């Protein structure tokens, strides 16, 4: 029995590695956009008493991207729906 027969192979992820890299880059960009918005809101509004939420659109875009990414890796069970 050879090593390849003894060790089952794991299924390869769907999609190409360039697609995964593109998705990661997109999520990273969305994360940076959200963090920038949040920092600005926190310093310019929250610390001055304005507790009105901001950056909701940026947060939703980033969260949706990460949710899709996890589901594509078959890790959707790790997040709340």
């Amino acid at each position: 029995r050879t090593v390849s027969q003894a060790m089952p192979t794991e299924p390869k992820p769907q999609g190409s590695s360039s697609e995964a890299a593109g998705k990661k880059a997109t999520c990273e960009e969305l994360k940076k956009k959200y963090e920038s918005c949040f920092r600005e809101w926190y310093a310019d509004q929250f610390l001055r008493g304005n507790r009105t939420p901001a950056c909701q659109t940026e947060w939703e875009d980033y969260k949706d991207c990460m949710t899709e990414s996890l589901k594509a890796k078959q890790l959707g069970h790790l997040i709340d729906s």
Side-chain angles (χ1 to χ4, degrees):
R1 207 166 150 159
T2 66
V3 174
S4 63
Q5 290 173 330
M7 303 290 289
T9 59
E10 293 185 27
K12 294 184 180 184
Q14 296 178 353
S16 69
S17 60
S18 62
E19 287 177 17
K23 178 59 83 174
K24 182 178 180 182
T26 301
C27 289
E28 277 295 317
E29 292 166 7
L30 292 171
K31 179 183 180 210
K32 288 176 184 177
K33 188 175 178 181
Y34 168 70
E35 288 176 340
S36 175
C37 179
F38 181 83
R39 281 191 298 274
E40 184 177 323
W41 168 80
Y42 185 78
D44 296 342
Q45 295 180 33
F46 183 81
L47 292 177
R48 294 181 182 167
N50 182 356
R51 304 297 194 252
T52 304
C55 308
Q56 294 299 102
T57 301
E58 291 83 352
W59 168 249
E60 290 297 325
D61 291 345
Y62 174 57
K63 183 180 76 165
D64 291 346
C65 186
M66 290 304 298
T67 298
E68 285 180 35
S69 180
L70 288 171
K71 287 181 180 179
K73 296 175 184 175
Q74 300 177 356
L75 298 171
H77 63 281
L78 299 175
I79 55 174
D80 294 330
S81 298

